[in-house]
Amino acid sequence: MPVTTFLTYTALGLVLGAVYAIAASGLVLTYNTSGIFNFAHGAQAMIGAFTYYQLDVAWDLPAGVALVVVLGVLGPAMGWIQHALIMRGLRDTEQITRIVVTVAIMLGLVALAQWLWDPQEARVPGMLFGVDRTVTVLGVVLRYHEVLCLVIAVALAVGLRVLFNRSRLGVLMRATVDDPDLLSLTGHDPDRVSARAWMLGSTLAVLAGVLITPVIGGPLEANALTLLVVDAFAAALFGRLKSIPLTFLGAIVLGLMNSYLVAYAPSEWTWVGNLRQSLAMIVLFAILILLRHERLRGTATRSRERYEVPTVRRAVVWGGVFVLAVLAFRQIIDPSSVGVLQLGIAFAVIALSQTLLTGYAGELNLAPLAFSAIATLVAFHAGIQGEGLDARMSVGGLVAGVVAAAVTGAVVAIPALRLRGLYLALATLAFGVFVSSMILRDIQEHTLFGKTFAIFPNGNLLFPRLAIGPVDLADDDVFLMVTAVLFAVLGVGLVALRNSGYGRRLAAMKDSPAASAMLGQRLLRLKLTVFALSTAIAGLGGILMSMALRSVTKEHFVFTLSLSLVMLAVIGGIGYVSGALFGGLIAGAGLTAIVTLLSDTATAHPQFEGALGLVSHIILVGAGLAGIGIAQNPSGILHDVFAAHRRLAKAPEIRYGAAAVQGALYALAWFDVLGTGTFLLLSLVLWLSLPSIGAALRPEKVPGASARTVPPELIGVDADYPPGLARRLDEQLGVNVLRDEKGVSHAGA
C-alpha cells in the first residue's frame, strides 16, 4: 500500500516539523525582541523534558499538574532569570560575547542535567494522553499527542504573527531592539518588555522539549536532546529570524525531509542514520549560502571590548619565558602527568586560531575542532610510515593535514564572503555538527577507484607521533618541549602579523567593514585568507592533540568541546595570545586534572566519595557557566590582570621580590615539600595578589586597585573628566585662565 505508506510518513514528518516549528518560534521571538540568538534554547528544552519526566513518571504526579509546573513556572522562570541576570547587560558588547554567554548557559545546563539525572539510567517518557488514544485520518492513525503537536504549531504560527504585526506588545518588543532609548522616552521600560519575550521564548523551548522526545522515541539524554532541538536553528534561519510563517514552512520541510529519508532511502545506504542526524545542519548551511548579501553598514555600536597589542619584542620575551616555564614545570611533575600538559598545549594551539580569526579579524568560528578533525583524518591516511610500535607520522602527512584544514576552511568560508556575525557563526556550527554526526561516524568500508578504505576505521585512530630525522617525538619530554616551542613561535608570529600592514587591515575590517571597503580594502580576500590561516592553525593543533592522545575517537572532536574551547578563550581574552593559552590549558589540562584528582582521591578515601563527587559536579557545572561572567568583563580576565600589573611599573622591586618568592616555592616543590597542585595554587595567588601587595607596600608608587587606565578617546564617554584636565589643556594651548580652588573658570586673558 504505497499511498498509505506515503501518507503515514508524511504525517510523521508533519508532526516532527510541528515540534521544530514550536522550538524555532521561541528562537525567532527572543531574537526579534533582544537581538540575541539563544544558543541555550535546546538546553532549556532539555531541562524542561527532564523536569516533566521527573514530575510525571518518577514522582507520579498527574500529567496536567506536571505540565502546569513546567510550562507555567519552570519555563517563564528560566526566561526571566536568563534576561534579568545576564542578557540585559549584553547590549553594548561584540557578537562573540553574546554568543559565548548563551553557549555558557547551554554547557552549564547540560552539565547540571547530567548531575541531577544519571546518564546511565534510561528514562523513556510516554506520550500525552497515552499511546492508545488515537484518531484515523485518510487511513493514517495518529495519536492524540501527535495531533496536539500539529494544533499547537498552527496556533503559534498564527498567534505570533498577530503578536508581532497587529498588537501593541509586538511593536514594543521590536522597538526594544531597534531603539531602546527612544522607547524609554515614550514611557515604556525596554527591560520589562524584553523580559516578557524571554519568558515566552523559554516557555516555548520547554514545550518543544516535552513534546519532541515521545515523537522521536528513545530515552532522554542530555546531549542528544539538546542537539535535537538545535535542529530548529535551520527552521529559524529559513525565516531569516524574522518571519514566523517562513519559519513554520522551513520546519515542516525539514520534518518531511527527515521522514522521507527514513521511508525511501535505499537499504544499501548504510550512512542514512548519520545523514539524518546531520540533515538539519546541511539544510542550515545551504540556507546560509543562499541568503542575500548583508549590506555593509557605515555606523557601528561602540562596544566595551578593549585589547592592547604587545610589541613583537615583548612577545619574543614572553614566548621565551613560556618555554622556560614549561621546561621548569616538567621537572617537578610526575611523568604520568606529562600527557595532560601536552594535551593542554595542543588545545592552546587550536585556540590560537580563534585569536587570529575572532580577536584580530572579528570573524566567528564555533567549530575549530571540526577542522582539527579534518587535518587529523588526512594526516592519518596520508602520512603514517611503518607499522606497530615503529609507526611514525611523516612530515608530509603533517603538511597534508594542515593544508587540508586550510583548504576546507577556505571552502567553508564561502558564507564568510557574504555574511558576518551570527550567520557566519551558525555556518561554522553547522559544519562542526556535520563533521561530528556524518564524517566521524563513518566507520564502514568504501570502495573508490578499486581501493577499499574507511574514513574513520573502527571508530578509533591509533595516531603515531612525528619523527623528523634524529628527532623522535615518541619521547614524551621531547614532544612536550616541541609543542611548547611551537606554541611560542606561533604566538610570536601572530603578534608580528597583528603589527603588520595585513594585521592592521584585519583590525580595520573588524572595526568597520564599510569604512575599510571605502578605503579600498578587498574584504573578500581578507576574509578568505584569514579563514584559511586560522583553520590551518586549528588543523596543526588537532594533529598535535591526536599525537598527544595517541588514540583518538569521535568524542574528541564533538561540537560541544569546540564550544567549550571557544568560550574559555573568550573568558581569557580572545584578543590575546595568552587568552588562547588560558583557554587551551583549562580545556585540555585543567578540568581533566581536577576531575582525575578528585576521582583518585575518592578511590583512595571511600568515606569522602560523596562529598568529592559533589565537588566534581559543581566544578563541571561552574566551568560550563563560567562564560556568563564575560558579560561583565567582555575583554577577558587577563585584560584586567595585565592592567593591574602595569601599575607596578614604577615599583620594580615588588616584582623582583615576587620572583624571589616564586623561586622559593619552586625549590620547595623540587624537594617534594609542596605538591604540584599546592605549588600551582600558591603561585597563582602570588601573582594575582601582587598589585594589591604593591599598593600596600609602596602606596606612593603603585596606584590603588580602584585606579584604572582610560584610553584618551574615552575620557568623558566611559569615564569622568579627571581633575586637572582643563588646566593641562589650557597650558598646552597657551591660554591663561583664572580658576578658583575647585578649578572653575572665572575670567581669562
Side-chain angles (χ1 to χ4, degrees), residues 94 309 356-362 420 497-513 516 521 523 526 530:
E94 296 283 357
V309 183
L356 171 62
L357 185 65
T358 304
Y360 294 171
R420 297 189 77 237
L497 184 145
R498 176 60 183 84
N499 284 283
S500 68
Y502 179 79
R504 287 189 288 272
R505 289 195 294 273
L506 292 180
M509 179 180 68
K510 176 183 178 180
D511 290 341
S512 178
S516 182
Q521 301 298 332
L523 300 187
L526 276 177
V530 76

PDB file of all heavy atoms in Angstrom, residues 94 309 356-362 420 497-513 516 521 523 526 530:
ATOM      1  N   GLU A  94      30.322  42.882  21.754  1.00  0.00           N
ATOM      2  CA  GLU A  94      30.508  42.288  20.435  1.00  0.00           C
ATOM      3  C   GLU A  94      29.656  41.021  20.299  1.00  0.00           C
ATOM      4  O   GLU A  94      29.232  40.415  21.286  1.00  0.00           O
ATOM      5  CB  GLU A  94      31.985  41.934  20.220  1.00  0.00           C
ATOM      6  CG  GLU A  94      32.927  43.127  20.215  1.00  0.00           C
ATOM      7  CD  GLU A  94      32.873  43.893  18.902  1.00  0.00           C
ATOM      8  OE1 GLU A  94      32.152  43.460  17.982  1.00  0.00           O
ATOM      9  OE2 GLU A  94      33.544  44.934  18.811  1.00  0.00           O
ATOM     10  N   VAL A 309      47.665  45.504  21.934  1.00  0.00           N
ATOM     11  CA  VAL A 309      48.555  44.654  21.149  1.00  0.00           C
ATOM     12  C   VAL A 309      49.988  44.851  21.636  1.00  0.00           C
ATOM     13  O   VAL A 309      50.501  45.969  21.612  1.00  0.00           O
ATOM     14  CB  VAL A 309      48.454  44.990  19.652  1.00  0.00           C
ATOM     15  CG1 VAL A 309      49.333  44.050  18.838  1.00  0.00           C
ATOM     16  CG2 VAL A 309      47.006  44.910  19.192  1.00  0.00           C
ATOM     17  N   LEU A 356      43.438  34.694  16.076  1.00  0.00           N
ATOM     18  CA  LEU A 356      43.607  35.309  14.759  1.00  0.00           C
ATOM     19  C   LEU A 356      42.260  35.654  14.140  1.00  0.00           C
ATOM     20  O   LEU A 356      42.043  36.789  13.697  1.00  0.00           O
ATOM     21  CB  LEU A 356      44.378  34.349  13.849  1.00  0.00           C
ATOM     22  CG  LEU A 356      44.460  34.724  12.368  1.00  0.00           C
ATOM     23  CD1 LEU A 356      45.179  36.050  12.186  1.00  0.00           C
ATOM     24  CD2 LEU A 356      45.153  33.626  11.575  1.00  0.00           C
ATOM     25  N   LEU A 357      41.347  34.708  14.113  1.00  0.00           N
ATOM     26  CA  LEU A 357      40.105  34.894  13.379  1.00  0.00           C
ATOM     27  C   LEU A 357      39.144  35.841  14.089  1.00  0.00           C
ATOM     28  O   LEU A 357      38.601  36.765  13.473  1.00  0.00           O
ATOM     29  CB  LEU A 357      39.434  33.535  13.166  1.00  0.00           C
ATOM     30  CG  LEU A 357      38.170  33.540  12.307  1.00  0.00           C
ATOM     31  CD1 LEU A 357      38.495  33.940  10.881  1.00  0.00           C
ATOM     32  CD2 LEU A 357      37.503  32.167  12.326  1.00  0.00           C
ATOM     33  N   THR A 358      38.927  35.615  15.369  1.00  0.00           N
ATOM     34  CA  THR A 358      37.941  36.409  16.105  1.00  0.00           C
ATOM     35  C   THR A 358      38.576  37.619  16.784  1.00  0.00           C
ATOM     36  O   THR A 358      38.054  38.732  16.706  1.00  0.00           O
ATOM     37  CB  THR A 358      37.238  35.534  17.151  1.00  0.00           C
ATOM     38  OG1 THR A 358      36.660  34.407  16.508  1.00  0.00           O
ATOM     39  CG2 THR A 358      36.156  36.314  17.868  1.00  0.00           C
ATOM     40  N   GLY A 359      39.698  37.404  17.471  1.00  0.00           N
ATOM     41  CA  GLY A 359      40.323  38.508  18.184  1.00  0.00           C
ATOM     42  C   GLY A 359      40.851  39.587  17.269  1.00  0.00           C
ATOM     43  O   GLY A 359      40.705  40.786  17.553  1.00  0.00           O
ATOM     44  N   TYR A 360      41.474  39.201  16.148  1.00  0.00           N
ATOM     45  CA  TYR A 360      42.072  40.173  15.240  1.00  0.00           C
ATOM     46  C   TYR A 360      41.131  40.601  14.120  1.00  0.00           C
ATOM     47  O   TYR A 360      41.094  41.781  13.760  1.00  0.00           O
ATOM     48  CB  TYR A 360      43.347  39.607  14.619  1.00  0.00           C
ATOM     49  CG  TYR A 360      44.478  39.379  15.578  1.00  0.00           C
ATOM     50  CD1 TYR A 360      45.626  38.699  15.189  1.00  0.00           C
ATOM     51  CD2 TYR A 360      44.420  39.833  16.904  1.00  0.00           C
ATOM     52  CE1 TYR A 360      46.676  38.485  16.070  1.00  0.00           C
ATOM     53  CE2 TYR A 360      45.450  39.616  17.794  1.00  0.00           C
ATOM     54  CZ  TYR A 360      46.585  38.927  17.368  1.00  0.00           C
ATOM     55  OH  TYR A 360      47.618  38.706  18.241  1.00  0.00           O
ATOM     56  N   ALA A 361      40.384  39.638  13.539  1.00  0.00           N
ATOM     57  CA  ALA A 361      39.587  39.935  12.346  1.00  0.00           C
ATOM     58  C   ALA A 361      38.103  40.118  12.632  1.00  0.00           C
ATOM     59  O   ALA A 361      37.376  40.599  11.762  1.00  0.00           O
ATOM     60  CB  ALA A 361      39.774  38.832  11.306  1.00  0.00           C
ATOM     61  N   GLY A 362      37.639  39.700  13.813  1.00  0.00           N
ATOM     62  CA  GLY A 362      36.230  39.878  14.137  1.00  0.00           C
ATOM     63  C   GLY A 362      35.300  38.877  13.485  1.00  0.00           C
ATOM     64  O   GLY A 362      34.078  39.033  13.555  1.00  0.00           O
ATOM     65  N   ARG A 420      28.272  38.122   7.958  1.00  0.00           N
ATOM     66  CA  ARG A 420      29.053  38.465   9.127  1.00  0.00           C
ATOM     67  C   ARG A 420      28.318  38.011  10.375  1.00  0.00           C
ATOM     68  O   ARG A 420      27.151  37.666  10.334  1.00  0.00           O
ATOM     69  CB  ARG A 420      29.299  39.982   9.221  1.00  0.00           C
ATOM     70  CG  ARG A 420      30.088  40.570   8.101  1.00  0.00           C
ATOM     71  CD  ARG A 420      30.462  42.017   8.397  1.00  0.00           C
ATOM     72  NE  ARG A 420      31.560  42.089   9.354  1.00  0.00           N
ATOM     73  CZ  ARG A 420      31.515  42.737  10.515  1.00  0.00           C
ATOM     74  NH1 ARG A 420      30.423  43.349  10.878  1.00  0.00           N
ATOM     75  NH2 ARG A 420      32.554  42.760  11.317  1.00  0.00           N
ATOM     76  N   LEU A 497      52.156  39.417  12.988  1.00  0.00           N
ATOM     77  CA  LEU A 497      51.153  39.611  11.943  1.00  0.00           C
ATOM     78  C   LEU A 497      50.204  40.741  12.310  1.00  0.00           C
ATOM     79  O   LEU A 497      49.847  41.570  11.461  1.00  0.00           O
ATOM     80  CB  LEU A 497      50.390  38.310  11.723  1.00  0.00           C
ATOM     81  CG  LEU A 497      49.347  38.290  10.599  1.00  0.00           C
ATOM     82  CD1 LEU A 497      49.307  36.920   9.938  1.00  0.00           C
ATOM     83  CD2 LEU A 497      47.956  38.629  11.133  1.00  0.00           C
ATOM     84  N   ARG A 498      49.780  40.792  13.587  1.00  0.00           N
ATOM     85  CA  ARG A 498      48.866  41.862  14.020  1.00  0.00           C
ATOM     86  C   ARG A 498      49.517  43.226  13.912  1.00  0.00           C
ATOM     87  O   ARG A 498      48.834  44.232  13.625  1.00  0.00           O
ATOM     88  CB  ARG A 498      48.428  41.602  15.467  1.00  0.00           C
ATOM     89  CG  ARG A 498      47.550  42.698  16.060  1.00  0.00           C
ATOM     90  CD  ARG A 498      46.270  42.887  15.261  1.00  0.00           C
ATOM     91  NE  ARG A 498      45.478  43.973  15.807  1.00  0.00           N
ATOM     92  CZ  ARG A 498      45.662  45.259  15.516  1.00  0.00           C
ATOM     93  NH1 ARG A 498      46.621  45.620  14.665  1.00  0.00           N
ATOM     94  NH2 ARG A 498      44.902  46.189  16.058  1.00  0.00           N
ATOM     95  N   ASN A 499      50.824  43.316  14.098  1.00  0.00           N
ATOM     96  CA  ASN A 499      51.519  44.597  13.994  1.00  0.00           C
ATOM     97  C   ASN A 499      51.902  44.948  12.562  1.00  0.00           C
ATOM     98  O   ASN A 499      52.454  46.023  12.320  1.00  0.00           O
ATOM     99  CB  ASN A 499      52.775  44.582  14.867  1.00  0.00           C
ATOM    100  CG  ASN A 499      52.462  44.725  16.341  1.00  0.00           C
ATOM    101  OD1 ASN A 499      52.175  45.821  16.821  1.00  0.00           O
ATOM    102  ND2 ASN A 499      52.487  43.631  17.074  1.00  0.00           N
ATOM    103  N   SER A 500      51.635  44.042  11.633  1.00  0.00           N
ATOM    104  CA  SER A 500      51.973  44.294  10.231  1.00  0.00           C
ATOM    105  C   SER A 500      50.835  45.021   9.530  1.00  0.00           C
ATOM    106  O   SER A 500      49.758  45.243  10.098  1.00  0.00           O
ATOM    107  CB  SER A 500      52.253  42.965   9.521  1.00  0.00           C
ATOM    108  OG  SER A 500      51.065  42.197   9.421  1.00  0.00           O
ATOM    109  N   GLY A 501      51.077  45.368   8.269  1.00  0.00           N
ATOM    110  CA  GLY A 501      50.028  46.011   7.492  1.00  0.00           C
ATOM    111  C   GLY A 501      48.813  45.117   7.316  1.00  0.00           C
ATOM    112  O   GLY A 501      47.672  45.577   7.351  1.00  0.00           O
ATOM    113  N   TYR A 502      49.052  43.824   7.127  1.00  0.00           N
ATOM    114  CA  TYR A 502      47.943  42.875   6.998  1.00  0.00           C
ATOM    115  C   TYR A 502      47.103  42.856   8.270  1.00  0.00           C
ATOM    116  O   TYR A 502      45.865  42.857   8.215  1.00  0.00           O
ATOM    117  CB  TYR A 502      48.497  41.481   6.698  1.00  0.00           C
ATOM    118  CG  TYR A 502      47.454  40.406   6.574  1.00  0.00           C
ATOM    119  CD1 TYR A 502      46.715  40.253   5.409  1.00  0.00           C
ATOM    120  CD2 TYR A 502      47.203  39.534   7.633  1.00  0.00           C
ATOM    121  CE1 TYR A 502      45.750  39.250   5.295  1.00  0.00           C
ATOM    122  CE2 TYR A 502      46.243  38.535   7.528  1.00  0.00           C
ATOM    123  CZ  TYR A 502      45.524  38.396   6.362  1.00  0.00           C
ATOM    124  OH  TYR A 502      44.574  37.413   6.263  1.00  0.00           O
ATOM    125  N   GLY A 503      47.775  42.842   9.425  1.00  0.00           N
ATOM    126  CA  GLY A 503      47.051  42.837  10.689  1.00  0.00           C
ATOM    127  C   GLY A 503      46.248  44.103  10.897  1.00  0.00           C
ATOM    128  O   GLY A 503      45.129  44.061  11.433  1.00  0.00           O
ATOM    129  N   ARG A 504      46.779  45.230  10.474  1.00  0.00           N
ATOM    130  CA  ARG A 504      46.028  46.480  10.603  1.00  0.00           C
ATOM    131  C   ARG A 504      44.813  46.482   9.682  1.00  0.00           C
ATOM    132  O   ARG A 504      43.770  47.052  10.025  1.00  0.00           O
ATOM    133  CB  ARG A 504      46.945  47.663  10.321  1.00  0.00           C
ATOM    134  CG  ARG A 504      47.953  47.935  11.443  1.00  0.00           C
ATOM    135  CD  ARG A 504      48.707  49.240  11.226  1.00  0.00           C
ATOM    136  NE  ARG A 504      49.671  49.129  10.142  1.00  0.00           N
ATOM    137  CZ  ARG A 504      50.918  48.708  10.294  1.00  0.00           C
ATOM    138  NH1 ARG A 504      51.340  48.346  11.484  1.00  0.00           N
ATOM    139  NH2 ARG A 504      51.749  48.669   9.271  1.00  0.00           N
ATOM    140  N   ARG A 505      44.935  45.841   8.531  1.00  0.00           N
ATOM    141  CA  ARG A 505      43.763  45.736   7.651  1.00  0.00           C
ATOM    142  C   ARG A 505      42.696  44.853   8.287  1.00  0.00           C
ATOM    143  O   ARG A 505      41.498  45.124   8.169  1.00  0.00           O
ATOM    144  CB  ARG A 505      44.189  45.189   6.288  1.00  0.00           C
ATOM    145  CG  ARG A 505      44.998  46.173   5.453  1.00  0.00           C
ATOM    146  CD  ARG A 505      45.085  45.727   4.001  1.00  0.00           C
ATOM    147  NE  ARG A 505      45.845  44.486   3.843  1.00  0.00           N
ATOM    148  CZ  ARG A 505      47.161  44.424   3.688  1.00  0.00           C
ATOM    149  NH1 ARG A 505      47.872  45.554   3.683  1.00  0.00           N
ATOM    150  NH2 ARG A 505      47.777  43.270   3.532  1.00  0.00           N
ATOM    151  N   LEU A 506      43.130  43.778   8.950  1.00  0.00           N
ATOM    152  CA  LEU A 506      42.172  42.932   9.664  1.00  0.00           C
ATOM    153  C   LEU A 506      41.457  43.722  10.758  1.00  0.00           C
ATOM    154  O   LEU A 506      40.238  43.600  10.930  1.00  0.00           O
ATOM    155  CB  LEU A 506      42.876  41.726  10.270  1.00  0.00           C
ATOM    156  CG  LEU A 506      43.434  40.667   9.322  1.00  0.00           C
ATOM    157  CD1 LEU A 506      44.097  39.553  10.127  1.00  0.00           C
ATOM    158  CD2 LEU A 506      42.355  40.095   8.427  1.00  0.00           C
ATOM    159  N   ALA A 507      42.219  44.516  11.497  1.00  0.00           N
ATOM    160  CA  ALA A 507      41.620  45.306  12.575  1.00  0.00           C
ATOM    161  C   ALA A 507      40.639  46.329  12.018  1.00  0.00           C
ATOM    162  O   ALA A 507      39.571  46.577  12.602  1.00  0.00           O
ATOM    163  CB  ALA A 507      42.716  46.001  13.379  1.00  0.00           C
ATOM    164  N   ALA A 508      40.985  46.928  10.873  1.00  0.00           N
ATOM    165  CA  ALA A 508      40.075  47.892  10.254  1.00  0.00           C
ATOM    166  C   ALA A 508      38.792  47.221   9.802  1.00  0.00           C
ATOM    167  O   ALA A 508      37.689  47.760   9.963  1.00  0.00           O
ATOM    168  CB  ALA A 508      40.764  48.570   9.072  1.00  0.00           C
ATOM    169  N   MET A 509      38.917  46.024   9.239  1.00  0.00           N
ATOM    170  CA  MET A 509      37.729  45.272   8.816  1.00  0.00           C
ATOM    171  C   MET A 509      36.856  44.927  10.015  1.00  0.00           C
ATOM    172  O   MET A 509      35.625  44.977   9.940  1.00  0.00           O
ATOM    173  CB  MET A 509      38.150  44.009   8.076  1.00  0.00           C
ATOM    174  CG  MET A 509      36.993  43.148   7.605  1.00  0.00           C
ATOM    175  SD  MET A 509      37.519  41.658   6.719  1.00  0.00           S
ATOM    176  CE  MET A 509      38.278  40.724   8.059  1.00  0.00           C
ATOM    177  N   LYS A 510      37.482  44.579  11.131  1.00  0.00           N
ATOM    178  CA  LYS A 510      36.730  44.242  12.332  1.00  0.00           C
ATOM    179  C   LYS A 510      35.982  45.460  12.865  1.00  0.00           C
ATOM    180  O   LYS A 510      34.803  45.372  13.235  1.00  0.00           O
ATOM    181  CB  LYS A 510      37.675  43.711  13.411  1.00  0.00           C
ATOM    182  CG  LYS A 510      37.005  43.423  14.745  1.00  0.00           C
ATOM    183  CD  LYS A 510      38.011  42.981  15.786  1.00  0.00           C
ATOM    184  CE  LYS A 510      37.325  42.737  17.129  1.00  0.00           C
ATOM    185  NZ  LYS A 510      38.298  42.312  18.166  1.00  0.00           N
ATOM    186  N   ASP A 511      36.636  46.614  12.890  1.00  0.00           N
ATOM    187  CA  ASP A 511      36.017  47.812  13.459  1.00  0.00           C
ATOM    188  C   ASP A 511      34.900  48.346  12.580  1.00  0.00           C
ATOM    189  O   ASP A 511      33.831  48.711  13.072  1.00  0.00           O
ATOM    190  CB  ASP A 511      37.074  48.898  13.671  1.00  0.00           C
ATOM    191  CG  ASP A 511      38.038  48.549  14.784  1.00  0.00           C
ATOM    192  OD1 ASP A 511      37.687  47.682  15.605  1.00  0.00           O
ATOM    193  OD2 ASP A 511      39.143  49.118  14.826  1.00  0.00           O
ATOM    194  N   SER A 512      35.149  48.422  11.255  1.00  0.00           N
ATOM    195  CA  SER A 512      34.141  48.977  10.358  1.00  0.00           C
ATOM    196  C   SER A 512      34.361  48.445   8.955  1.00  0.00           C
ATOM    197  O   SER A 512      35.188  48.985   8.208  1.00  0.00           O
ATOM    198  CB  SER A 512      34.188  50.505  10.359  1.00  0.00           C
ATOM    199  OG  SER A 512      33.243  51.026   9.444  1.00  0.00           O
ATOM    200  N   PRO A 513      33.657  47.400   8.568  1.00  0.00           N
ATOM    201  CA  PRO A 513      33.812  46.867   7.220  1.00  0.00           C
ATOM    202  C   PRO A 513      33.500  47.903   6.136  1.00  0.00           C
ATOM    203  O   PRO A 513      34.154  47.938   5.094  1.00  0.00           O
ATOM    204  CB  PRO A 513      32.823  45.703   7.180  1.00  0.00           C
ATOM    205  CG  PRO A 513      32.614  45.322   8.606  1.00  0.00           C
ATOM    206  CD  PRO A 513      32.733  46.582   9.382  1.00  0.00           C
ATOM    207  N   SER A 516      36.409  50.270   5.858  1.00  0.00           N
ATOM    208  CA  SER A 516      37.540  49.553   5.279  1.00  0.00           C
ATOM    209  C   SER A 516      37.364  49.381   3.774  1.00  0.00           C
ATOM    210  O   SER A 516      38.298  49.562   2.990  1.00  0.00           O
ATOM    211  CB  SER A 516      37.683  48.187   5.963  1.00  0.00           C
ATOM    212  OG  SER A 516      38.790  47.486   5.476  1.00  0.00           O
ATOM    213  N   GLN A 521      40.065  48.543   0.647  1.00  0.00           N
ATOM    214  CA  GLN A 521      40.466  47.207   1.084  1.00  0.00           C
ATOM    215  C   GLN A 521      39.597  46.153   0.405  1.00  0.00           C
ATOM    216  O   GLN A 521      38.392  46.341   0.234  1.00  0.00           O
ATOM    217  CB  GLN A 521      40.327  47.079   2.607  1.00  0.00           C
ATOM    218  CG  GLN A 521      41.152  48.080   3.376  1.00  0.00           C
ATOM    219  CD  GLN A 521      42.639  47.920   3.138  1.00  0.00           C
ATOM    220  OE1 GLN A 521      43.112  46.835   2.846  1.00  0.00           O
ATOM    221  NE2 GLN A 521      43.375  49.015   3.254  1.00  0.00           N
ATOM    222  N   LEU A 523      37.820  43.199   1.000  1.00  0.00           N
ATOM    223  CA  LEU A 523      37.335  42.445   2.145  1.00  0.00           C
ATOM    224  C   LEU A 523      37.194  40.956   1.837  1.00  0.00           C
ATOM    225  O   LEU A 523      37.438  40.123   2.718  1.00  0.00           O
ATOM    226  CB  LEU A 523      35.985  43.010   2.607  1.00  0.00           C
ATOM    227  CG  LEU A 523      35.975  44.480   3.053  1.00  0.00           C
ATOM    228  CD1 LEU A 523      34.624  44.829   3.648  1.00  0.00           C
ATOM    229  CD2 LEU A 523      37.080  44.756   4.057  1.00  0.00           C
ATOM    230  N   LEU A 526      40.560  39.396   2.228  1.00  0.00           N
ATOM    231  CA  LEU A 526      40.954  39.381   3.634  1.00  0.00           C
ATOM    232  C   LEU A 526      40.248  38.253   4.378  1.00  0.00           C
ATOM    233  O   LEU A 526      40.869  37.500   5.138  1.00  0.00           O
ATOM    234  CB  LEU A 526      40.622  40.726   4.286  1.00  0.00           C
ATOM    235  CG  LEU A 526      41.627  41.861   4.131  1.00  0.00           C
ATOM    236  CD1 LEU A 526      41.088  43.132   4.768  1.00  0.00           C
ATOM    237  CD2 LEU A 526      42.965  41.494   4.754  1.00  0.00           C
ATOM    238  N   VAL A 530      42.226  34.990   5.970  1.00  0.00           N
ATOM    239  CA  VAL A 530      42.272  34.840   7.423  1.00  0.00           C
ATOM    240  C   VAL A 530      41.573  33.557   7.843  1.00  0.00           C
ATOM    241  O   VAL A 530      41.988  32.893   8.812  1.00  0.00           O
ATOM    242  CB  VAL A 530      41.661  36.068   8.128  1.00  0.00           C
ATOM    243  CG1 VAL A 530      40.148  36.083   8.068  1.00  0.00           C
ATOM    244  CG2 VAL A 530      42.111  36.127   9.580  1.00  0.00           C
TER     245      VAL A 530
END
